[in-house]
Amino acid sequence: PSRAARRVAAPAPTMTHQYPALSAEQKKELSDIALRIVAPGKGILAADESVGSMAKRLNQIGVENTEENRRLYRQLLFSADSRVKKCIGGVIFFHETMYQQGDDGTPFVRMIKDKGIVVGIKVDKGVVPLAGTDGETTTQGLDGLSERCAQYKKDGADFAKWRCVLKISENTPSALAILENANVLARYASICQQNGIVPIVEPEILPDGDHDLKRCQYVTEKVLAAVYKALSDHHVYLEGTLLKPNMVTPGHACPTKYSAEEIAMATVTALRRTVPPAVPGVTFLSGGQSEEEASINLNAMNNCPLARPWALTFSYGRALQASALNAWRGQRENESSATEAFMKRAEVNSLAALGKYEGSGDDSGAAGQSLYVANHAY
Amino acid sequence: MTHQFPALTPEQKKALFAIAQRIVAPGKGILAADESVGTMGNRLQRIKVENTEENRRAFREILFSSDASINQSIGGVIFFHETLYQKDSSGKPFPDVIKDKDIVVGIKLDKGTAPLAGTNGETTIQGLDGLAERCAQYKKDGVDFGKWRAVLKITDTTPSTLAIQENANSLARYASICQQHGLVPIVEPEILPDGDHDLHRCQYVTEKVLAAVYKALNDHHVYLEGTLLKPNMVTAGHSCPKKYTPQEVAMATVTALHRTVPAAVPGICFLSGGQSEEEASLNLNAINKCPLPKPWKLTFSYGRALQASALAAWSGKPENKKATQEAFCKRAQINGLACKGQYIVSGKSDAAAKQSLFTASYTY
């Protein structure tokens, strides 16, 4: 018989056999971490601003963007007293900050873990263009990601964050942008879990534009459906992940204004149609909303009459830190009032995550000021 | 596709939502009485009754003329086309008999399986041609929901990616067309229990299939709040040597659903797939007691597991009408309790209730 005749045809590619990606112990560890982060009344402090993003923040308060100033600033956030334990379940670090210390030499990672808060790390490497599209992007950072995750895990991190960016315009988001960003999020999530790290999946749809609430809801549903199909295809263990989406809001240039309840209803509806109940928590990004707006909207989510099988909480950067930055203005003598300003927003958002925030009525100052920056890229 | 071209108006959505809620109201499930002529032939042969139109009519009449209180356990009845246009002995059309009991009328809409060339004996479902017109007519004739059964099978090489995609797509097209005509689509992606695979294999395959189904429904702009899901429970294959408890079946099933079925879906109505009447009730009960969060109703859409005892009691004799109705009502009540997690087993074992209703490679 000829060689060809003896050659046995390879079985048709099939995915009907499971090759478990994770052991039962690995799954339990991931699930426990995720549940700790989104325990009732707790959310995330996103303190992972890159050097470039910190430049913008510090510039706004007239402070020079040096490594020392960045260290001093994060120190005052991380020095919050034990009240912070009830409000903050996780802190997302930027790489530089993971390896910095307080004045007394205590590593920041230790300071956070000693408060019983989970340490997270931003692992993406920013956006890159998708050729042939109308200015759309994907996110890079997969190269050597496994080794980086293993190292971060050794160094104290138990969760990670990866941000993809989509934009609503006449021609966007395109099918390619949705597919590609969903795929890259799924690859990142898969690699994280292999290394004992809970992946926060962030498919941000920017608030830029004049589209209305319904348009944002429609796009959000399509994007999230693609994300969860990709996560399923990549065998990601949903109980050991978190989602960090945009709230469903109108575009910033939309003439129609909507109430917090309308935003909540549109958001929760979109999530109910796309996010499987196995996902333990949804930690919203604040996307340029003011501190107060972000709290009021989160509170409205948690009072929405529709059934919500996941925790609905916060993963706020600007919306937790704007007042603190303003109070600090780079002066050491302002440190405790800056820490207190942060603590206040943390407590407010903790209440909002429980649906118990009654609003401050305070429209003035940094809390009410819109934090919208056009075409935001971290 | 960034612009929404609304498939349904708010009024259409509201109407679909209301129908779905009525079918899966607390304590209620579905009687799947939509056996095709061929399938009824199999049933009647078992009790040595001739498969005539009159015999099929007579049996359905006995079930449908049960006391109106059956509506506390039955929220919907799925009809076969022939039955929709039959009448009871007083000349009253069957749909009216059902509607008078405040139960929603449904119709089987698919036209059976068709082979997928190039696969290992896999199939898709036909019935899309002229489906819009058929739905419109059924709606006029009193129907408010539809059912469409896709079939997948677990073996070494199946279900293939093509089979999953193609069946998910056909379910989504059917669902979209139904909703355009005011019918709530029951989406049924049945993974057959044939085979010797274990519980975990079934769970894995079920998760992959359901993920594909919900992606397809999303792609086709189907309004999830106006649909129902009719899946298999996650069980081991029929020739699997390992036996699992109802609690294990429940945990595997709810975990799979938990990972794939959005909370917007109002209800999940399990098919009984060859389980005995008692097994189907025990498993449903365990599912409702499962400690995982369950944001959808978890209830039944049973054919054989609601009718086996009734058929045995009838045996084609009109004088057995009362016994037939009692047998049927008993199973309906038990399943009504099971879908609230309130079924407490009495310890009595009924031969017909325990008898496995498994027929290899079941097709209607």
Side-chain angles (χ1 to χ4, degrees), chain A residues 11 34 290:
Chain A
S290 71

Side-chain angles (χ1 to χ4, degrees), chain A residues 11-19 27 168-175 178 214-215 218-219 221-222 225-229 231-235 237-239 269 271-279 307 309-310, chain B residues 1-5 13 153-161 164-165 200-201 204-205 207-209 211-215 217-225 255 257-265 293 295-296:
Chain A
T14 176
M15 28 53 69
T16 73
H17 289 274
Q18 185 177 17
Y19 303 99
K27 283 181 175 178
I168 298 178
S169 73
E170 267 291 306
N171 306 308
T172 64
S174 65
I178 294 179
K214 282 196 168 34
R215 181 90 184 282
Y218 175 77
V219 173
E221 288 176 17
K222 293 302 176 192
V227 167
Y228 282 96
K229 181 57 164 63
L231 292 176
S232 169
D233 289 345
H234 286 257
H235 315 301
Y237 174 58
L238 291 187
E239 292 89 328
T269 299
L271 298 173
R272 275 168 54 81
R273 290 174 179 174
T274 54
V275 183
V279 175
W310 352 254
Chain B
M1 28 56 71
T2 74
H3 289 274
Q4 186 177 18
F5 304 99
K13 285 181 174 177
K153 194 162 153 174
I154 298 177
T155 67
D156 240 58
T157 53
T158 63
S160 65
T161 309
I164 293 178
Q165 264 171 22
H200 298 296
R201 180 89 182 283
Y204 175 77
V205 173
E207 288 177 16
K208 293 301 180 194
V209 167
V213 167
Y214 282 96
K215 182 59 164 64
L217 291 176
N218 182 282
D219 289 342
H220 286 258
H221 314 301
V222 174
Y223 173 59
L224 292 187
E225 292 88 330
T255 300
L257 297 170
H258 199 228
R259 290 174 178 173
T260 54
V261 184
V265 174
W296 350 254

Side-chain angles (χ1 to χ4, degrees), chain A residues 83-348:
Chain A
R83 285 174 291 161
V84 84
K85 292 182 189 189
K86 291 200 311 281
C87 315
I88 302 293
V91 173
I92 317 179
F93 280 67
F94 178 62
H95 178 88
E96 173 191 75
T97 322
M98 277 281 287
Y99 302 101
Q100 287 179 327
Q101 295 141 7
D103 292 341
D104 66 357
T106 311
F108 281 157
V109 168
R110 177 103 318 261
M111 280 171 73
I112 291 299
K113 283 171 100 91
D114 283 350
K115 295 193 213 299
I117 299 173
V118 188
V119 168
I121 177 75
K122 186 227 292 289
V123 296
D124 71 78
K125 292 188 172 182
V127 300
V128 290
L130 281 173
T133 66
D134 185 8
E136 295 179 290
T137 62
T138 181
T139 296
Q140 49 180 14
L142 292 179
D143 298 351
L145 180 59
S146 187
E147 290 76 13
R148 293 173 59 217
C149 282
Q151 187 62 51
Y152 284 134
K153 180 79 175 178
K154 283 205 194 99
D155 296 341
D158 285 312
F159 74 95
K161 190 212 87 175
W162 175 291
R163 176 174 175 259
C164 278
V165 184
L166 294 150
K167 193 166 153 175
I168 298 178
S169 73
E170 267 291 306
N171 306 308
T172 64
S174 65
L176 172 64
I178 294 179
L179 191 75
E180 168 57 27
N181 281 283
N183 193 61
V184 92
L185 279 166
R187 282 292 301 129
Y188 140 80
S190 167
I191 292 169
C192 277
Q193 292 194 327
Q194 290 299 299
N195 291 286
I197 293 205
V198 166
I200 296 189
V201 171
E202 181 179 355
E204 175 171 8
I205 300 163
L206 294 175
D208 301 46
D210 61 1
H211 53 272
D212 65 9
L213 188 69
K214 282 196 168 34
R215 181 90 184 282
C216 181
Q217 184 184 331
Y218 175 77
V219 173
T220 302
E221 288 176 17
K222 293 302 176 192
V223 167
L224 291 178
V227 167
Y228 282 96
K229 181 57 164 63
L231 292 176
S232 169
D233 289 345
H234 286 257
H235 315 301
V236 174
Y237 174 58
L238 291 187
E239 292 89 328
T241 65
L242 293 169
L243 178 70
K244 179 166 171 169
N246 50 287
M247 292 184 192
V248 172
T249 63
H252 263 272
C254 178
T256 314
K257 295 302 160 205
Y258 298 85
S259 66
E261 289 70 30
E262 288 173 297
I263 284 170
M265 183 60 83
T267 305
V268 176
T269 299
L271 298 173
R272 275 168 54 81
R273 290 174 179 174
T274 54
V275 183
V279 175
V282 175
T283 60
F284 293 103
L285 58 94
S286 46
Q289 295 178 37
S290 71
E291 286 176 329
E292 189 62 9
E293 212 181 332
S295 302
I296 298 273
N297 284 338
L298 179 63
N299 189 59
M301 305 282 172
N302 281 287
N303 284 291
C304 179
L306 299 176
R308 299 161 258 117
W310 352 254
L312 289 173
T313 182
F314 56 93
S315 175
Y316 289 168
R318 286 171 284 173
L320 268 172
Q321 300 176 58
S323 293
L325 271 162
N326 232 19
W328 178 52
R329 304 202 82 85
Q331 312 297 322
R332 294 222 70 153
E333 55 271 25
N334 293 341
E335 273 168 10
S336 50
S337 60
T339 305
E340 200 52 34
F342 161 65
M343 178 66 78
K344 181 177 165 191
R345 290 324 301 177
E347 286 179 320
V348 161

Side-chain angles (χ1 to χ4, degrees), chain A residues 15-55:
Chain A
M15 28 53 69
T16 73
H17 289 274
Q18 185 177 17
Y19 303 99
L22 300 163
S23 67
E25 292 74 28
Q26 284 176 302
K27 283 181 175 178
K28 182 162 195 297
E29 188 200 15
L30 291 166
S31 174
D32 286 347
I33 292 167
L35 288 170
R36 281 174 56 206
I37 297 169
V38 297
K42 297 192 190 183
I44 298 172
L45 164 62
D48 63 319
E49 297 84 355
S50 63
V51 174
S53 281
M54 275 313 287

Side-chain angles (χ1 to χ4, degrees), chain B residues 16 22 51 92 106 113 149 162 173 182 187 226 253 277 306:
Chain B
L16 290 166
R22 282 178 56 207
N51 187 20
K92 189 168 187 189
T113 60
R149 175 178 176 256
L162 172 65
R173 282 291 300 128
V187 171
T253 303
E277 287 176 328
L306 268 172

